[in-house]
Amino acid sequence: MTFRYDFAPTPFGDALAVFSDEGIVRFDLSESEDPSVPWLLEGVARQLHAMPEPDPGAADELAHLLAAYFDGEPVRFEDHLRLDWRLVERFPLLALQTICGIAWGETLSYGEVAVLAGHPGAARAVGTACRLTPFSIIVPVHRVVRSDGTPGHYGAHPERKTFLLDLESR
């Protein structure tokens, strides 16, 4: 299996996009101003047990989809990209696949996702799956909110979640 990477622009800065032969395997919004920082790629390499090779242009289709999304088009990324789920298993996989079904501009609570995923009472596990998703934005974990309707967190950047929810509410 070969892995390759490229960067795709977002309003939050360039994001690391890693692809396998099966599809996109990881999409990371960096915590750094520079997404090419070695620790980001090294972390992905540890997860994949292989170092992705640079492949300029590999994220072109994704970049076009992201541009449309950030222009306010209701893009369902999984309709255009193959998702390689190798970095997710068991309940987190089920939760994230359930989250893919949340429509543009809609939200569900962590508890509602747990119920839909067949595990009532697993709201915290849904939150963990959202926090650890390998597919920021692509799998719309930002559409999962607290039971009181407040956004909650989005990694260390709750303002990003608010931005995405506001974008989809227009």
Side-chain angles (χ1 to χ4, degrees):
M1 177 67 59
T2 59
F3 299 99
R4 56 200 200 294
Y5 72 92
D6 192 10
F7 298 95
T10 77
F12 315 117
D14 286 349
L16 175 67
V18 180
F19 300 88
S20 71
D21 299 335
E22 304 298 318
I24 188 162
V25 70
R26 188 144 185 107
F27 184 68
D28 272 312
L29 296 171
S30 179
E31 298 297 316
S32 169
E33 291 293 317
D34 178 6
S36 64
V37 292
W39 57 264
L40 184 59
L41 196 56
E42 289 168 5
V44 172
R46 271 193 306 279
Q47 288 181 308
L48 297 172
H49 306 290
M51 180 59 79
E53 296 295 324
D55 187 5
D60 286 354
E61 180 182 4
L62 175 58
H64 291 297
L65 292 169
L66 287 164
Y69 174 83
F70 287 112
D71 281 344
E73 293 180 35
V75 174
R76 286 181 44 94
F77 291 93
E78 68 276 11
D79 289 346
H80 304 278
L81 299 171
R82 287 184 310 162
L83 303 183
D84 180 341
W85 293 97
R86 76 181 61 234
L87 297 178
V88 189
E89 54 187 23
R90 297 186 297 274
F91 181 75
L93 174 61
L94 184 58
L96 292 174
Q97 289 175 333
T98 300
I99 290 166
C100 284
I102 303 173
W104 171 276
E106 300 293 322
T107 60
L108 290 177
S109 72
Y110 295 96
E112 289 170 324
V113 171
V115 168
L116 289 173
H119 294 271
R124 289 184 139 205
V126 171
T128 299
C130 290
R131 184 174 51 83
L132 299 176
T133 182
F135 302 114
S136 295
I137 301 173
I138 294 171
V139 171
V141 298
H142 59 276
R143 296 178 189 156
V144 184
V145 298
R146 293 178 173 161
S147 60
D148 66 3
T150 58
H153 296 285
Y154 193 73
H157 299 279
E159 73 281 358
R160 291 179 181 177
K161 186 171 189 171
T162 301
F163 176 92
L164 295 170
L165 291 171
D166 287 349
L167 171 75
E168 293 185 13
S169 70
R170 290 186 219 138

